[in-house]
Structure formats: C-alpha cells, structure tokens
Amino acid sequence: MALFIMIIRKMINNKWLVLSLFFGILMTVALVGTMPIYSEAILSRMLVKDLETFQKERNLYPGQHWSLISFGNEDAGKRTSTIDAMDRYIKQEAGPSFGVPVKEIVQELRTKSFRVYTEYDPDKKNAPTAAIRAYSDLGAHIKLLDGRLPADKPVNGVYEVMLTEQALIRFGIVLDQVLTLKDNSIQGTVKIKPVGMLTKKEDDDPYFRNASLSDLGASFVVDDGLFENEFIRGGTIPVAASGWYVLLDYTKMGLRNVNDFLDTDKAIRDEAKKKVPVFQAEFTAPSIPVIEKYFERSKQLGKLMWSLNVPVLIMLGFYMFMVSNLIIDRQKNEIAVLRSRGAARWQVVASFAIEVLLLCAAAWLIGPFLGMWLTKVLGASNGFLEFVQRSSMTVRINEQAYLYGGIAAGASFLMMLVPVLLATRVSIVGHKQQLARMQKTPFWHKTFLDVLALATAFYGLYSFRNRLKALQSLGLGEDDLRLDPLQFVMPALFVVGAGLLILRLYPLMLKLIYWAGRKWWSPSLYASLIQVGRSSGQYQFLMIFLIMTIAIGVFSAGAARTININMEERTRYAIGADVVLQSQWPNDKPPPAPPGFGPPDPAEAAKASAPVHYLEPSFEPFRNLTGVEDAAKVFVKKDASFSADSKLGTITLLGIDTDDFGRTAWFPDHLLNYPLYDYLNLIAADPRGVLISKTLAEQRSVKVGDTISIGWENVDYQPFVVFAIIDYFPTFNPNPPLGTATSAGGKLNAPPMLVVGNLNRIQFQLALEPYQVWLKLKPGAGSQELYESFQEQKIPLTSIVNAREELAKVKSDPFLLALNGILTLGFMISIAVSFVGFLLYWILSLKGRTLQNGIMRAIGVSLRKLIGMLAMEQLLTSGAAVLIGVLIGNLASRLFVPNFQIAFNPGSLVPPFKVIFEAIDFVRLYSVVAFMLALGLGILSYMLSRIRVHQALKLGED
C-alpha cells in the first residue's frame, strides 16, 4: 500500500509529464481500436450498398431466403409431421438465428399438378394442368381486380379459389365457373370454383418471390387455413411440397451478423436434408454470392487500413519513447540513489511498471470510446480534411476493438519499460560520471540504422516498380499479384532513414553556419549557435520526432490529394464529357421473331442480314437542353477494321466534329506533347486526315503520312491519311483490358488501337449509324433540371451516363472512404502529437536551464534578447526539423504514393497515376506548424519572464 501511495504522489508531482505520456498511450489505443470499429462500419455500409445494387440490377429482393421440401411416395401422416416439424424449426429457431430483423416468414404450400376439366368438356384431351397453392397471410398483400376472396371452408363440396389474370386467360375460363380436378391420386371428385382475380397490392412488395406473379400462371390459390385442414390434415388432395420464404431486413445486415446469416442458411439446409432426400430439397439465397465477394473485399480493406496506419503507429511509438525518456531522465538521480541505498533492481522496475500499468489500463478502458468518436469523423470525410453531412454509419464498440486496444496498450507498456531497465543498471557513481561526460554517440549512429532503413525502403520501391510494370503490361488486375502490405511500410522506413541521415550531417551544417558568419554574428545568435552546436545530441530525438510527424503529415496530404484527384480524373476521362447520351434512331431493321417460331425462311434470313439504314434525328434539341453549354456528336465503332500495307487489324473508330468536340470533351493537358486542340486542328483542315494511337503505330509500323483503309462488315473500305500519332484520347485506354493477359494460344494479347477521324467523311463515305451525344454542362447546372428537359423535349434515350453521378459513386466507394478517412486521421494525429511533444520538450528543457537563464539575466542580458536567443534556438532545431520534415515528406510522396495505385487496378488507370500537391494542403500544414511554433514560443517567453534572478541563483547555491 505504501508503494502504491508513493507511486500516486510521484505521478502527481510529474502530472504534466504523466498526462503527456497518457495522451500518447490513449491515442495509440484509440487509433488501433479504430481499425476494427471502422472496418465493421464501412464494411457494413459496403455490404448494404452491394445488396442495394444487386436489387436494382436483378430486380430481386436480396434479403430473402427460400427453402422448399417436396414429397414423393411418403404417406399422408409422414408428410404432415415433416411439414409441422420444419415449420416450427423455421419460425422458432432459424428465423431468430439469422441475426437480422425478420420482416415476414411466408409459408407456401403446393399440391401436385392435376388435369383441369370444365363441366362443358369433362373428357377433353390435353386438358391443361394446374396445382393448388396457399400462402400464409396472403390477404394483407393482394387486392382483387374482380370477384371476392374465397371461403375458408368448402361451399357445397366445392373449394373456392383465386387466380391471376394470366391464369384466367390460360385456362380460358370465367369467374364462378366450376372446374373438376382429376388424377389417380385423388379419391373421389374434387371441384373448385374461381371466385376472385388477384394482383399485388403494392408493386415493390417483396412478399412475392416472383415480382411478375408468373409462377401463379398455372395455379389456383386457396385459403391457407383451408389448405391445412382439408389437404394436409384431411388428405383430400396429396401435398406435393412446402416452402418457407423468409424476408429479412437486409439494410441491417453487417459484418457482425453476416456469419450468422451464413450459419443459419447452412443449418436450414442440414435440417431439411434430415427430413427428405437431397434431391427433394431446394434452397435459394441470392445474397450469398454478394456476401462471398464482400468477404474478399473486406480482407483487402483490412490489409489496406493496417498498412496505412503503420507510419502513424511508428510515430506514436517514437512519441511515447521520447516522453518516457524525458520522465526517466528527470528521475535518473532518484533511481540511482535508490539503487545505491539497497533497493533491488526489480523493485525499482516494479514501481515504474505499476505506474505505466495504471496509465495503460486507463487508456485501454477509454481508448475504444475515443476510437468510436474518431470513426464517426472518418465516416464524414469526403476527401482529405474535407467533411460532409452524409448519412451516419452504424458505429459500435465491438470485441475486437478492446482486443486490439489491449494489444496496443501491452506493446506500449513493454516499450516504456525499456528506458527504466536501462536506467536501473547505473549506480549513483555511474550516474554522476555520465553527467560529467560528453554525450555518447547514439546507437543508430554507430550501427548505421539510417543507411539500413534507406536501403530497405529503396529495395521495396524497386521491387514494387517491377511488379507494377508487370501488372500494366500484362493487363492484370490487383488480385492477380499478391498485395504486399510491407509496400506501405516503406514510406515510414524512408522517412526514418532520411531523417536520421540528415541528423548525422546536421552538426556539420551547424559548424559551417557558425564558421561562415563568425565575424558578424550577434552575441545572442553566437550563444544560440554554441548552445545548439555543443548539445546537438540533446536535440536529436526531438528533431527526429518532429521530422517524422511533419513528414508523415505531408505524405498523408500528398497521398490523399493524389488518390482523390486521380480517381476523379480517371472517371471523367473514361466518360469523356459531363454527360454522354445515346438516343434512339428510326431504322428499317426487321423486328425479332416471336418466341416459339421455327427458323426463318431463306428470304427472311437474307433480309435480316442486310445492312440497316438509319434516319438521323435532329441534333438541335440537344443544344437547347436546360443547363447545356456545348454539345458534340461522337460516333464510336468498336469493331471497325483497317488495313495498312497488307497489315490488318481491329480498331476502335471515333468520328467527331472537331470544333464541337474540342469545346465539349474533358481532357487533361499534360497527357500529350501539345494541347488537344492542336491535334484536332490538324484533321479539321483535311477531311481525309486521322489521328492514330501509338499502340497502332507501334504494332503495325504505321507512321505519319501513311495511308490506311478503314471499314467494317457490309461497309466498303475507304482510304484515310495519318496526320499525327497520339498516346491518349478521351475514353481511350491504351493498356490491355483487365483479364486478357494471354490469348487462347498463350500469346500476349495486343493493346487496343484507336483511329480518330472526321465525322462528316465517315458518315458520307462509310455509313450513317447512331452516334453518341456528349454534353458539357454550364457551371452550377443541376442534373435534375437536365433530366426534366429530356422529358419536355421528348427525346427517346437508350442510355445515359452522368459524370457527376459516377463521381459520387467513386467517392462513396469503401476503399476511397477508408483512404481519405485514415489519411485525414493520420494527419490530424501527427499534428496533435507533434504539438504536444514539441511543447513538452521545450518546457522541460527550459525548466532544466533555469540556472543558466537566471545567470544570463544577472549579467545583464535583457529579457528581449533572451527570448531572441530562445527563438533562434528553436529555429535551429524545431524550425530546421519542420523544414526537413516537409522536404522528406514531399520526396516520400513522389517516390511512394504511386504504390497506392496497386489497390485500384493499375492497368486501367488512365490518365496515368501522378503525384499531385495542392497549395491548400501546404497552407493548412504551414498554418498549423506556424501556430504551434508561435504558441510554443509565447508560452516559453512567458515562462522566461517569470524567472526570478535571486531564485535561480539560490537554486545554483543549493
């Protein structure tokens, strides 16, 4: 107890140091705890988005689970017991086990199919067949188009049924007409009477497995209570099958319950297979393929998150090591005295271990809650240091958050005991000897850790560049080569290595500065140079810490800005303009043959294969659309052919009006040797002129001035002249398509080839076929107004691609959200930790030099000059470290930010990935750093002004 009280008192006496140390541990635990919390939140959002997309594309509700058991030769009692047991299992056990709220469980019951006869034709040959079905709680989901609901009991021995309009037409009957069911399995005569025609009450009701109700086209529907009493219990008609349709609220599906869904699906299958043979069971869960892809993406996202956080974790480790060193340095004398007075080494270590354990335990308890708040910050990020009001993510503290936080706290505990273990090895005599001696050469200096870190970083960069070339040249995706998380550790190694290398040379730079101006330096500047030069080792840990934090901040800013802008440019380039339309053209193409008809006669086949003639609609309505600034015609023929000197090939042919195209298309200026409009002007002067891609020129040895012939099926070849060769053009990707690394023969597939020509010549000499319409919108024009204008102008569209909508999808992609969020968080933590570490170090340094500063005041140095000396000292240390950090961060960005493209299918990245910096990012960084230095200098100046000379001198006498 006495030891515990002593520890608490010691912590109170060093409260600012202890709080600073606790801050570092807390941020580490929170950052590590953020990863599982953020992963669950972002992956849950990703899963729901994927399921929503699945529903839109397939028109199929993804939150459904269907299981069906059918019967063969089982007796009626066996069928009844099997249905009852399976019904209890689905509703009482399986439903709650899905882990997702159950909206409804629909039981579907079926009889076998029977021949249906009318009273007018009781012995009709080839009479239609039909089955009787029943659904639980059907009345709440249907409405009657005609007639009434059937009775729940036989009426005069006749079963009343409902049917759809499709079934009514198929059977050729009318309502209230009595029908007879005949089959050898039916005992006696069974009569039914359709009394109502049903349809869905709501079009988007997921209650019905088949949205069109086509599965009821050959069925009659009876009351479910009647079905159970008469057919299941009574055995009037043998039951053929029973199914259970579980409707789940898929919007509540996430990482925490997706395994429950899969386990329950497996359990239902196993339970059904216990009751009927495998071939008599049927199961459908359309969301399972989506979930399987989701698991693969979740693994990639997890790797990416850990990799991106490595530099920040290393920086936090440096911070905690620095603070723990400061604490131990202040208590080395106390430790040495305790050792000299007989205290065992383990006792001293134990006292510090308890102190650190208390801090780590508190951080472990609080950290996940802070991590949850940081997760909400990440969820609101729309770019680097950009936050928007989007729908909040479902965030909760999970078990893994505490597990990871505990591991981080444990690692922090062990790391902070290292300085204690080193300090307890020194006796009071050795401690006094160390104080009197010059500082030893740092361990990293003697072992050349800086050179080793740089060599490792450059080797990683070299291996990455080789892998990237393979990805791009072979047309592979990022999944074809293993994503090595160590590639993302390389920037941290480079920052550490470069920082230590510069610090190795920094004393020489100080000596050079001192020697260059030794005749002109003022006394205050002279004193500052002497202080920093003779105590350079004292400042090295602070400098490497500031270098790391600032460099990581710059790297985070560069990486986030680069990724965001490259993804935006990639999307805009692939589309080509703000909006791309395809309208419907009148033509003489014969309609397709109706289903069920035999092959057409030769005359009809020849007519179908004849060239199609199109009538070009007016282009003026497109120019007059609301919000449109410019419009252009762009003809795209992806399967055109060409010949040049007996060399044939398939190309993509683009036909454009050069003037309109130049004003409408989006194209970055840095991709070509000259501006795009210069190339457009070349072919505008001569209708025969074309631009060809570099891939075509290299593969077919075509050069400027050559003549090539272009045509396609049913179109005669026409000559064109090559006016220029281009690397890129809007929408054209010169890389091999993803997944086409090799052809069937094992040879490398050639990259695609492009030819750009004048639209008028293509239309007059080749063929008039439908073209795309590219639109450039006015600044501030909205998409909704444009869509309304389409309806007003009555323009028949077959497709539309809106760049703004596609960009919104890109920004909502979980990978980009994770990148922006993590890099933003890393930058914010770097700045916060650097500020706290900077302020803490200088306050303790100033307190340690109280006697020196008091003496300088006593010999006549004014407070203004003393503050000037302190400012110069900060400039030579902290200011230099910040400048070095900015330079190293810029260099690290240019070298290692391209590594991130491996996570985004580098073979499809066009325009090529480039590192981008924006002034606003540096303004933010420099503003924060300037505020940090100014505030720190202000606090230190205030502390200097509070020094009393007589107290300082008294301290010296003591």
Side-chain angles (χ1 to χ4, degrees), residues 361 456 559:
T456 305

Side-chain angles (χ1 to χ4, degrees), residues 507-547:
L508 299 178
M509 296 168 59
L510 286 176
K511 290 180 181 179
L512 181 62
I513 294 173
Y514 169 74
W515 178 83
R518 63 187 185 279
K519 295 181 180 180
W520 302 283
W521 299 135
S522 63
S524 58
L525 182 56
Y526 176 83
S528 298
L529 286 168
I530 292 295
Q531 171 67 27
V532 176
R534 291 179 179 177
S535 308
S536 58
Q538 174 186 349
Y539 300 105
Q540 283 188 348
F541 207 92
L542 171 67
M543 293 183 70
I544 187 59
F545 170 72
L546 288 176
I547 289 172

Side-chain angles (χ1 to χ4, degrees), residues 237-253:
I237 300 178
V239 180
S242 178
W244 290 266
Y245 181 51
V246 184
L247 282 171
L248 303 168
D249 186 1
Y250 72 87
T251 61
K252 300 297 189 295
M253 191 176 290

Side-chain angles (χ1 to χ4, degrees), residues 304-315:
L304 191 62
M305 289 186 66
W306 277 104
S307 303
L308 290 174
N309 276 318
V310 165
V312 182
L313 291 173
I314 293 176
M315 180 267 298

Side-chain angles (χ1 to χ4, degrees), residues 889-945:
N890 273 275
L891 187 57
S893 297
R894 298 190 182 281
L895 291 175
F896 294 96
V897 165
N899 290 22
F900 289 103
Q901 64 182 301
I902 200 171
F904 295 96
N905 282 330
S908 64
L909 283 177
V910 178
F913 202 82
K914 64 172 183 174
V915 179
I916 299 170
F917 294 98
E918 287 202 357
I920 185 64
D921 296 328
F922 289 101
V923 169
R924 290 169 180 161
L925 178 64
Y926 295 147
S927 299
V928 172
V929 171
F931 173 77
M932 178 181 72
L933 292 176
L935 182 60
L937 183 60
I939 294 174
L940 297 178
S941 300
Y942 174 76
M943 293 178 62
L944 276 177
S945 68

Side-chain angles (χ1 to χ4, degrees), residues 552-847:
I552 289 173
V554 173
F555 178 79
S556 298
R561 186 64 62 186
T562 296
I563 291 169
N564 282 299
I565 292 181
N566 275 277
M567 291 300 101
E568 181 178 341
E569 289 189 352
R570 174 190 182 187
T571 303
R572 292 177 64 88
Y573 180 93
I575 296 172
D578 292 340
V579 180
V580 175
L581 312 172
Q582 185 76 59
S583 62
Q584 188 173 357
W585 285 34
N587 59 79
D588 59 357
K589 185 177 182 180
F597 283 73
D601 56 45
E604 291 293 329
K607 185 178 179 181
S609 62
V612 180
H613 300 92
Y614 293 93
L615 180 63
E616 181 180 0
S618 174
F619 190 69
E620 226 22 64
F622 294 104
R623 299 186 187 275
N624 298 328
L625 290 169
T626 303
V628 171
E629 182 176 327
D630 287 299
K633 305 174 183 178
V634 181
F635 172 68
V636 181
K637 191 70 176 179
K638 294 186 176 181
D639 54 354
S641 302
F642 82 98
S643 64
D645 293 335
S646 301
K647 298 175 183 177
L648 305 177
T650 301
I651 58 169
T652 296
L653 175 65
L654 258 64
I656 61 174
D657 288 330
T658 55
D659 191 27
D660 290 341
F661 186 85
R663 292 195 305 264
T664 305
W666 183 90
F667 191 77
D669 294 332
H670 61 84
L671 291 181
L672 300 175
N673 296 329
Y674 303 95
L676 177 64
Y677 59 79
D678 285 348
Y679 293 92
L680 298 179
N681 289 338
L682 276 178
I683 60 174
D686 189 338
R688 300 174 304 159
V690 293
L691 308 174
I692 66 170
S693 64
K694 187 177 180 181
T695 54
L696 189 155
E698 291 178 345
Q699 293 177 62
R700 298 296 188 270
S701 301
V702 179
K703 59 185 182 297
V704 175
D706 289 354
T707 298
I708 61 174
S709 298
I710 301 174
W712 56 87
E713 185 180 2
N714 296 325
V715 174
D716 295 335
Y717 284 69
Q718 297 295 331
F720 293 85
V721 179
V722 176
F723 276 24
I725 299 172
I726 52 176
D727 295 310
Y728 300 96
F729 200 79
T731 72
F732 174 63
N733 186 346
N735 300 317
L738 293 179
T740 60
T742 56
S743 62
K747 296 181 180 179
L748 291 177
N749 277 344
M753 298 177 286
L754 175 75
V755 174
V756 182
N758 285 281
L759 178 62
N760 290 335
R761 177 176 169 84
I762 292 173
Q763 288 181 330
F764 286 125
Q765 295 199 354
L766 292 175
L768 176 64
E769 293 188 2
Y771 50 70
Q772 297 176 356
V773 178
W774 290 17
L775 305 178
K776 180 181 180 181
L777 302 182
K778 296 176 182 177
S783 299
Q784 186 61 35
E785 292 80 1
L786 179 66
Y787 296 154
E788 293 174 356
S789 185
F790 289 144
Q791 296 178 351
E792 293 174 2
Q793 298 279 356
K794 297 181 180 180
I795 299 176
L797 298 178
T798 58
S799 70
I800 178 170
V801 180
N802 192 324
R804 294 180 182 177
E805 295 176 356
E806 296 301 318
L807 288 173
K809 291 180 183 178
V810 168
K811 288 192 174 184
S812 299
D813 183 82
F815 280 91
L816 205 58
L817 284 176
L819 280 170
N820 283 317
I822 294 170
L823 293 174
T824 296
L825 180 64
F827 180 80
M828 294 168 62
I829 290 178
S830 298
I831 295 302
V833 168
S834 64
F835 176 72
V836 174
F838 162 82
L839 201 57
L840 177 68
Y841 186 91
W842 278 106
I843 289 174
L844 293 177
S845 176
L846 194 61
K847 284 186 175 181

